[in-house]
Amino acid sequence: MSAPLAASVAVGDRSNLSHGASRFRIGIVGCGPRGLYCLQSLSDELRRNRCVRSLSIDIFEPSEFPGAGNVYASCQPHYLKMNFAAKHINAWADLGESGAERLDFVGWLKQRYGTSVDPNGFAPRAVVGEYLHDCYRKVYAELEEFAQVTLHGCRVSRVDRRVRRWVVQTDRLEAEYDELVLTVGHEGWRTPQPSQEQTKVEFIPAFPIRKNLSVESIRPGETVAIRGYGLTWIDVTLALTTERSGAFIVTGDNWRYLPSGCEPRRIIPFSRSGRPMLAKPNESLFPQPAALDAIWERGRDAIDALQLPIHRCDRGSEFWQILTQSAAAAVNHFRDRSFGTSTEVQNWFDDWCRGTMKPATSLAAMRRSFRVATGREVPDVGWAMGAAWRNLYPAIVRQVSYGGLAADQWKTFWHIAAEMERIAFGPPADNVGRMLALIDAGIVDLRFLTSELQIDSSRRAGTCTIGNGIDTVAVDRCVDAVLPSPLQLHSAGPLQGLLEARTIRRLHGSEGIEVDRLGRPVTEKGRVVDVLSIIGRSTEGCVLGNDTLSRTLHDQPQRWAAEVATKIQNRKENE
């Protein structure tokens, strides 16, 4: 048993957790990657300020792998891949004084396993989770030089204000803190609230994937409908094929699937739009020319120069023109004669968004994106739009976050962002190749992409059919591959309780939890709440782009840690 986990067991049964009166007490609720980043930044600040006063840090994380959380748990199957290149993964904001011990993901893999990895490749989430958990253990050891550190392997159900402190409640203990930060991420594996019609259907949640999608839950030869057509759909489909000893091989330019006989007879994805997620390029197969860097830099500078708040982001706005002009300039780099314009880019986007997408159109978009992403075809406008959004995104985050977008523009922005999620932040090209192989093998059936399930009262309770006006298919099992949005809080979690008590509020327009640049939430009356911070996914909209492992896109953990270290130092000087 690891030392941090042993500490958790040692205190886990106490009904009340008390500290010495002179201790400065810090609570971290949720310790996935964002909680890890807060701890790592705090460790740096404590060392920098030589804070050696009496200090205690309590970490509340119910998952087995602190630092990784559920999403990056190292026990999950290795076919579940990142869509964030290995070279970008680094848990450390800076090297600090112990740079030799602070390795990025690529360096850690080489040290741990003695093998090199393609920095442009997409690693298994489980291996990334192993790295994050190892970083957590290092940070834990660093913090023990300054503080009494304890991990509690339990879920926090409620937090309340008590004079100048915050009280944390779990089913095991109650404790008070001088500083409390909530980094609860997805708040555990949950499914979104289904529609009234969907409540009549028995959906199997996608996660935890091995438990929920076993051969006992979904038997070989059954027909499975999957709600959702994004990254989780791919995870579920691989669990129903690769996990069951099906094999993918590369033949020429394409992937081919060799069935094991244990997979479902048919896998049917369905969604509201029918639009797929396009393949994310592997830069080892499709190197990005250095000339593009100047295009992206000009685009970011133009976004940064926009006057705030941004009052328009529709197709006639300066914001949108910057994006489409950047995409046009990028695609022109690969063309000999036909020069694209921002109008051509806009027309492509209009066609992409127009109504629901037909199965044949969706499949063609997937095939083309796969070939472009693997360097087999010349880049097109779809690639250029995705590349422009990815490369201008840091500037978009800087400008739009913290009220940088007018409240009445959020509906338009969310529409753009949802489509760009499909175009820019899709799966690794290899996984798109695998899905194409399953389609070619007749296992994945796209004919019902925008259809709806219908209850079949002639069969057992909870069973249904799906039809497209021409064909109707009986469905044996339904899987929910749609995760709750950041706006859908856990009904029994601490954030929902704070909202109901009007201790915090949502930012008008975006509806994310409103916070300042230190993560301090804002009350219904517009006052900043002190000694409490909320950092990460639940603030989406107030802070843009939280679902990332990037340490460079946001600096809230560093800002929070710097303020806390200053408080500790000031208290020490006043004693």
Side-chain angles (χ1 to χ4, degrees), residues 212-494:
N212 290 0
L213 304 182
S214 67
V215 291
E216 290 76 26
S217 298
I218 298 175
R219 294 187 292 273
E222 291 189 319
T223 294
V224 180
I226 302 176
R227 185 171 84 98
Y229 192 40
L231 296 175
T232 306
W233 162 65
I234 294 175
D235 290 347
V236 169
T237 301
L238 291 174
L240 297 175
T241 53
T242 300
E243 179 76 14
R244 300 182 178 203
S245 301
F248 291 94
I249 60 173
V250 178
T251 57
D253 287 346
N254 299 303
W255 288 78
R256 182 182 166 208
Y257 181 68
L258 303 178
S260 67
C262 295
E263 54 274 296
R265 183 169 69 91
R266 184 178 294 164
I267 298 171
I268 302 173
F270 66 98
S271 70
R272 286 178 295 182
S273 72
R275 292 190 280 278
M277 298 199 86
L278 302 185
K280 205 170 189 181
N282 181 325
E283 293 184 16
S284 293
L285 301 175
F286 173 26
Q288 307 298 291
L292 295 179
D293 293 341
I295 295 173
W296 309 138
E297 185 174 0
R298 285 197 302 271
R300 288 190 293 267
D301 288 346
I303 294 288
D304 281 330
L306 291 174
Q307 186 174 355
L308 300 182
I310 298 170
H311 287 286
R312 287 185 61 195
C313 61
D314 61 344
R315 64 178 293 170
S317 67
E318 187 178 0
F319 171 87
W320 186 247
Q321 287 297 313
I322 294 168
L323 183 65
T324 55
Q325 287 169 4
S326 298
V331 79
N332 282 338
H333 180 80
F334 296 94
R335 293 182 173 180
D336 294 329
R337 293 188 301 274
S338 177
F339 288 89
T341 65
S342 59
T343 300
E344 179 187 349
V345 174
Q346 176 62 56
N347 290 340
W348 182 93
F349 188 74
D350 288 345
D351 288 342
W352 171 271
C353 297
R354 188 171 289 116
T356 57
M357 189 172 282
K358 294 180 179 179
T361 306
S362 181
L363 177 57
M366 288 175 66
R367 289 196 191 281
R368 178 151 183 80
S369 77
F370 170 73
R371 296 186 67 78
V372 170
T374 53
R376 293 176 169 92
E377 285 193 16
V378 175
D380 60 358
V381 174
W383 164 83
M385 281 292 280
W389 187 260
R390 283 192 300 273
N391 285 280
L392 272 58
Y393 199 62
I396 295 171
V397 169
R398 286 193 295 271
Q399 292 294 80
V400 169
S401 297
Y402 306 109
L405 183 68
D408 63 356
Q409 290 299 296
W410 273 103
K411 182 177 180 181
T412 300
F413 184 83
W414 281 138
H415 166 69
I416 293 170
E419 296 306 329
M420 287 302 179
E421 187 80 13
R422 298 182 176 104
I423 296 166
F425 298 132
D430 281 358
N431 272 354
V432 174
R434 291 181 175 93
M435 294 304 101
L436 293 173
L438 289 168
I439 293 167
D440 293 339
I443 293 173
V444 169
D445 186 347
L446 299 186
R447 290 179 299 157
F448 308 95
L449 261 185
T450 57
S451 302
E452 295 184 0
L453 294 173
Q454 301 294 328
I455 297 296
D456 185 356
S457 57
S458 66
R459 304 172 72 212
R460 64 178 174 82
T463 57
C464 53
T465 62
I466 192 166
N468 58 11
I470 300 174
D471 298 310
T472 299
V473 173
V475 174
D476 299 301
R477 295 287 184 271
C478 302
V479 178
D480 197 341
V482 177
L483 301 182
S485 83
L487 304 183
Q488 295 174 295
L489 303 179
H490 196 302
S491 60

Side-chain angles (χ1 to χ4, degrees), residues 402-403 410 414 485-489 495 499 504-516 521-522 524 534 536-544 546:
Y402 306 109
W410 273 103
W414 281 138
S485 83
L487 304 183
Q488 295 174 295
L489 303 179
L495 291 174
L499 267 180
I504 62 176
R505 72 180 183 187
R506 296 185 183 275
L507 179 65
H508 178 58
S510 82
E511 303 308 316
I513 302 298
E514 185 175 0
V515 295
D516 67 9
V522 179
E524 280 285 343
I534 301 172
R537 196 171 189 264
S538 61
T539 68
E540 188 66 33
C542 179
V543 181
L544 193 63
N546 286 288

